[in-house]
């Protein structure tokens, strides 16, 4: 078994190849959550790749920032849910690997793509486990931008009301959304205080530090009787220097020269 | 109809702990038994309908059967994308119960006029759409929605037509209520109460057939084709938008036929907002949907 750092490095190589080959967008979003996803799939989640949906007590994960699908698909392939070669079909005609997350892909629990849906569904799953006294946990990964959506905060209220301490939300707080910095669009700050005021227990971590991520993800529920949120401070486009913290790389797809530079950085060749 | 449907859901829930009732903080006086006697199966999700549908989806994908309860447009129009992407696309076992269909809440104004829901819900793939017209139909639709795995939308109205005890209804099938003569009147939902009265007026001059259409999805296309071949007139009546509703559904079927005997006419609410304040009967009269106006309109069509 590889470690999560190597898992994340391989994910980034796949993400770059997939998005370049597909002439697709959202590379910055996929790279910002890569380390979170790597630690989850490599170290944390209780799932079985050979029978993803019949393992009744598997952890559920709703990847709500569906536009960063390349990240999830790369992780699922590396975790053995389907062959890595299939990643080359991303976005392609006749493929299962759609631009936004699809539950038709092995290992995907829930389809997303329209922001603000995922947390409610993860909340429902957590409530189901609670009601039945089952030990599995429900995870949701949200973007910061989708905290603009009112439905996210409806779900936040509900999770606290029903004391869903088996629910673990990770927010990829890269501070950039589609057209601008979140601060310039709808400022989320004081962000952590907002979650606390909704009754959630929170931890802020460096979303690229695997030790911190591992420790935070392993220490949930932070407090018995409360839902947990990990606010992962991340950098959009992390891992490819010229993409980091640039609004441009929400939508831009690398051209050939940029692709070659990015490959050099990720593979060190 | 509401009490009948809720009573049957309650009866089923007593035997199946997997059945949950999730309300959007509505149902005063109708959900008391659920709330007091089946506490573990009752959830008040608050005034947050989008989350309600998302939570119901998560529960259903984890093995529960979620009946969601609120007023007309609050679940259907507000949560359209949740119903499409979350419930229907994932084939989640979620049943959406909207009360106050048509002009049931007439005096409350446009926000509470529930007229477009059937057309909009019918457009979503993989979603069954039911509209009971009597207490019996409401009770039976609760049973069918429970037994048929998958997404369901149920529009409930205040009053329907009175009838004797009925045999089990069949999922997706039209119910003939009377079958005489060459004029087929098709209605769905509470407006069937007015249609029964209109039928009595019409039958002073000629016999008419009356059909209840409790399901717009799946739609009983074979029955419609047969009626179109046998009858001289098919007249659809609904307390809602014709386009995409019952009238639209029937026209979609007959327009594909190479030949037919029946002339098809549609009666419903015009494609406009109703600014006038009035109770259900007042607004039905305004739009020609009371028994007398219906009888007159139908006579005009057939003469």
């Amino acid at each position: 078994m590889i470690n999560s750092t190597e898992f994340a490095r391989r994910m980034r190589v796949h993400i770059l190849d997939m998005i370049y080959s597909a002439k697709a967008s959202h590379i910055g979003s996929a790279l910002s959550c890569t380390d979170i996803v790597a630690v989850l799939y490599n170290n944390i989640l209780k799932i079985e790749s050979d029978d993803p949906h019949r393992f009744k007590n598997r952890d559920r994960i709703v990847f709500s920032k569906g536009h960063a699908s390349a990240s999830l698909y790369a992780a699922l392939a590396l975790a053995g849910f389907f062959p890595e070669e299939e990643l080359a079909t991303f976005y392609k005609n006749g493929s299962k690997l759609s631009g936004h997350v699809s539950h038709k892909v092995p290992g995907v629990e829930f389809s997303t793509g329209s922001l603000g849906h995922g947390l409610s569904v993860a909340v429902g799953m957590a409530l189901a486990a609670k009601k039945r006294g089952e030990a599995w946990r429900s995870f949701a990964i949200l973007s910061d931008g989708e905290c603009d959506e009112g439905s996210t905060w409806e779900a936040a209220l509900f999770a606290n009301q029903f004391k869903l301490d088996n629910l673990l939300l990770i927010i990829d707080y890269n501070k950039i959304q589609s057209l601008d910095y979140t601060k310039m669009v709808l400022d989320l700050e004081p962000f952590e205080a907002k979650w606390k005021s909704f009754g959630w227990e929170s931890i802020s971590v460096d979303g690229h530090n695997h030790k911190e991520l591992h420790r935070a993800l392993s220490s949930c529920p932070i407090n018995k009787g409360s839902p947990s949120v990990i606010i992962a401070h991340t950098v959009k486009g992390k891992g490819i220097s010229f993409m980091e913290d640039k609004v441009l790389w929400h939508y831009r797809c690398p051209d050939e020269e940029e692709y070659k530079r990015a490959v050099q950085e990720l593979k060190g060749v | 109809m509401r009490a009948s449907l809720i009573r049957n859901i309650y009866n089923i829930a007593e035997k199946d702990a997997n059945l949950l009732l999730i309300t959007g903080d509505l149902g005063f006086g109708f959900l008391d038994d659920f709330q007091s006697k089946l506490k573990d199966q009752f959830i008040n999700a608050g005034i947050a309908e989008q989350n309600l549908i998302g939570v119901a989806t998560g529960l259903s994908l984890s093995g529960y059967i979620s009946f969601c309860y609120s007023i007309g447009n609050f679940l259907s129009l507000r949560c359209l994308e949740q119903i499409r992407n979350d419930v229907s696309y994932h084939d989640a076992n979620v049943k959406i119960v909207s009360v106050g269909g048509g002009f049931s809440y007439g005096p409350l104004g446009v926000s509470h006029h529930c007229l477009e829901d059937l057309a909009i819900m019918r457009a979503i793939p993989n979603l069954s759409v039911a509209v009971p017209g009597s207490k019996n139909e409401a009770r039976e639709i609760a049973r069918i929605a429970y037994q048929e795995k998958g997404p369901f939308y149920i529009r409930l109205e205040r009053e329907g037509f009175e009838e004797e005890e009925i045999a089990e209804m069949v999922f997706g099938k039209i119910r003939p209520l009377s079958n005489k003569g060459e004029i087929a009147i098709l209605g769905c939902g509470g407006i069937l109460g007015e249609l029964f009265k209109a039928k009595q007026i019409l039958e002073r001059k000629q016999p008419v057939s009356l059909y209840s259409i409790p399901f717009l999805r799946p739609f009983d296309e074979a029955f419609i084709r047969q009626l179109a071949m046998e009858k001289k007139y098919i007249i659809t009546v609904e307390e809602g938008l014709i386009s995409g509703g019952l009238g639209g559904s029937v026209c979609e079927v007959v327009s594909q036929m190479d030949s037919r005997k029946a002339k098809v006419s549609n009666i419903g609410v015009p494609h406009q907002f109703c600014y006038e304040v009035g109770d259900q009967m007042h607004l039905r009269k305004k739009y020609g949907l009371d028994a007398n106006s219906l009888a007159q309109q139908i006579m005009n069509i057939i003469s």
Side-chain angles (χ1 to χ4, degrees):
Chain A
M1 188 179 163
I2 58 174
N3 65 28
S4 61
T5 307
E6 175 58 14
F7 193 98
R9 193 195 65 79
R10 291 185 195 181
M11 275 176 68
R12 285 194 164 89
V13 172
H14 278 312
I15 289 166
L16 175 66
D17 285 346
M18 288 161 76
I19 288 179
Y20 176 67
S21 159
K23 297 184 172 55
S25 300
H26 304 127
I27 190 164
S29 313
L31 291 170
S32 71
C33 65
T34 291
D35 295 296
I36 300 163
V37 175
V39 173
L40 277 169
Y41 277 88
N42 201 56
N43 304 96
I44 300 289
L45 295 174
K46 289 179 183 143
I47 47 175
E48 286 180 9
S49 59
D50 45 354
D51 198 1
H53 284 290
R54 290 183 61 193
F55 172 34
K56 196 168 161 269
N57 287 323
R58 70 189 183 281
D59 286 335
R60 308 316 201 255
I61 180 160
V62 177
F63 192 86
S64 194
K65 46 174 291 180
H67 55 287
S69 60
S71 176
L72 179 62
Y73 295 159
L76 288 168
L78 286 166
F81 283 87
F82 56 89
E84 286 178 66
E85 300 73 54
E86 216 174 305
L87 292 173
T89 69
F90 180 57
Y91 257 71
K92 303 283 164 62
N93 295 337
S95 166
K96 279 202 282 281
L97 302 182
S98 54
H100 287 66
V101 167
S102 164
H103 68 290
K104 299 298 175 188
V105 176
V108 173
E109 201 70 55
F110 196 75
S111 289
T112 52
S114 176
L115 296 174
H117 287 233
L119 186 56
S120 296
V121 175
V123 163
M125 290 172 171
L127 182 59
K130 273 265 165 213
K131 288 179 90 61
R132 294 220 166 92
E134 292 170 354
W136 52 272
R137 293 198 290 173
S138 178
F139 293 76
I141 298 180
L142 267 67
S143 70
D144 45 11
E146 74 176 303
C147 293
D148 292 357
E149 297 276 7
S151 50
T152 296
W153 298 100
E154 292 181 7
L157 284 172
F158 187 100
N160 175 52
Q161 185 71 29
F162 286 80
K163 303 185 188 318
L164 300 178
D165 58 9
N166 56 346
L167 173 70
L168 179 44
L169 164 62
I170 305 125
I171 300 176
D172 176 15
Y173 194 14
N174 61 34
K175 300 166 195 73
I176 292 176
Q177 51 196 94
S178 171
L179 296 183
D180 208 338
Y181 290 87
T182 54
K183 195 174 178 56
M184 305 303 292
V185 183
L186 292 177
D187 192 1
L188 296 166
E189 291 296 339
F191 198 33
E192 191 168 355
K194 282 191 175 66
W195 288 96
K196 281 182 188 293
S197 75
F198 272 68
W200 288 55
E201 291 291 333
S202 65
I203 309 177
S204 277
V205 299
D206 172 350
H208 303 300
N209 182 318
H210 287 222
K211 266 191 189 163
E212 278 189 36
L213 282 168
H214 195 276
R215 196 180 310 126
L217 288 163
S218 305
S219 62
C220 292
I222 302 165
N223 200 11
K224 205 165 164 27
S226 303
S228 302
V229 55
I230 294 174
I231 296 174
H233 291 270
T234 57
V235 175
K236 196 136 178 169
K238 177 72 177 179
I240 299 171
S241 60
F242 58 91
M243 294 185 187
E244 290 187 358
D245 198 31
K246 300 271 196 312
V247 174
L248 176 71
W249 290 97
H250 183 85
Y251 280 122
R252 184 176 168 81
C253 182
D255 62 22
E256 190 180 348
E257 188 268 331
E258 288 162 339
Y259 171 73
K260 283 179 183 163
R261 277 172 62 201
V263 170
Q264 270 188 343
E265 287 192 22
L266 292 178
K267 293 187 177 171
V269 291
Chain B
M1 282 194 274
R2 169 162 52 172
S4 173
L5 181 126
I6 297 295
R7 171 52 52 186
N8 205 22
I9 295 173
Y10 177 85
N11 291 342
I12 296 165
E14 274 191 315
K15 295 178 200 126
D16 185 351
N18 281 322
L19 193 159
L20 305 176
L21 183 76
I22 312 174
T23 177
D25 200 35
L26 288 170
F28 182 74
F30 283 90
L31 308 178
D32 294 354
D33 276 353
F34 249 106
Q35 199 165 1
S36 60
K37 295 178 190 165
L38 295 175
K39 280 182 191 154
D40 289 344
Q41 290 164 258
F42 177 84
I43 297 167
N44 186 348
I47 309 161
E49 294 83 5
Q50 295 175 71
N51 178 62
L52 189 161
I53 298 291
V55 167
T57 303
L59 284 162
S60 291
L61 292 178
S62 310
Y64 284 99
I65 305 162
S66 308
F67 277 79
C68 306
Y69 178 98
S70 187
I71 286 180
N73 299 327
F74 301 171
L75 287 181
S76 55
L77 303 199
R78 189 186 195 99
C79 306
L80 177 58
E81 202 183 55
Q82 276 80 7
I83 295 172
R84 178 184 180 272
N85 295 6
D86 303 347
V87 176
S88 300
Y89 181 35
H90 290 86
D91 199 24
N93 212 1
V94 173
K95 322 294 177 180
I96 296 150
V97 179
S98 282
V99 301
F103 289 121
S104 299
Y105 291 119
L108 301 187
V110 167
S111 63
H112 284 61
H113 295 167
C114 183
L115 303 168
E116 305 91 356
D117 61 326
L118 294 175
I120 293 169
M121 293 296 109
R122 237 190 103 240
I124 298 175
N126 200 35
L127 178 66
S128 299
V129 177
V131 202
S134 70
K135 288 175 188 168
N136 287 336
E137 288 189 2
R139 188 195 64 228
E140 276 294 285
I141 283 171
R143 174 187 64 78
I144 290 168
Y146 167 74
Q147 287 175 343
E148 294 291 330
K149 197 172 175 302
F152 239 89
Y153 177 78
I154 302 168
R155 182 221 255 200
L156 276 176
E157 294 167 31
R158 201 164 265 171
E159 302 292 336
F161 64 95
E162 298 294 329
E163 62 177 342
E164 298 296 315
E165 196 53 42
I166 59 170
E168 283 197 352
M169 275 168 59
V170 181
F171 180 43
K173 293 295 178 194
I174 287 172
R175 288 186 67 215
L177 302 175
S178 72
N179 190 1
K180 284 183 277 179
E182 291 211 298
I183 304 158
I185 303 172
L186 281 57
C188 65
I191 199 68
L192 280 158
E194 293 302 306
L195 282 172
F196 260 98
K197 293 178 214 158
K199 174 173 167 288
Q200 286 174 350
I201 299 168
L202 290 163
E203 283 183 336
R204 292 174 199 151
K205 292 193 174 167
Q206 69 278 297
V208 293
S209 303
L210 184 58
Y211 303 89
S212 170
I213 321 293
F215 299 98
L216 292 187
R217 292 276 185 216
F219 193 54
D220 196 349
E221 295 185 9
F223 195 96
I224 298 294
R225 279 194 291 271
Q226 191 189 332
L227 278 184
M229 294 305 289
E230 289 175 1
K231 302 289 186 186
K232 203 168 165 188
Y233 296 97
I234 293 178
I235 302 164
T236 68
V237 181
E238 60 204 298
E239 193 166 312
L241 203 62
I242 294 166
S243 173
L246 172 61
S249 303
V250 169
C251 288
E252 284 170 17
V253 175
V254 297
S255 67
Q256 302 298 314
M257 296 174 72
D258 292 334
S259 65
R260 64 174 191 267
K261 180 177 169 188
K263 175 182 186 298
V264 179
S265 303
N266 308 125
I267 298 172
V269 180
H271 196 218
Q272 58 185 228
F273 289 116
C274 172
Y275 299 99
E276 192 169 321
V277 177
D279 63 19
Q280 186 167 34
M281 192 45 72
H282 178 86
L283 297 179
R284 278 179 176 170
K285 280 181 184 158
K286 175 181 166 71
Y287 292 114
L289 294 170
D290 61 297
N292 286 330
S293 308
L294 285 169
Q296 188 58 52
Q297 287 190 74
I298 292 166
M299 272 190 283
N300 292 345
I301 290 165
I302 62 179
S303 60

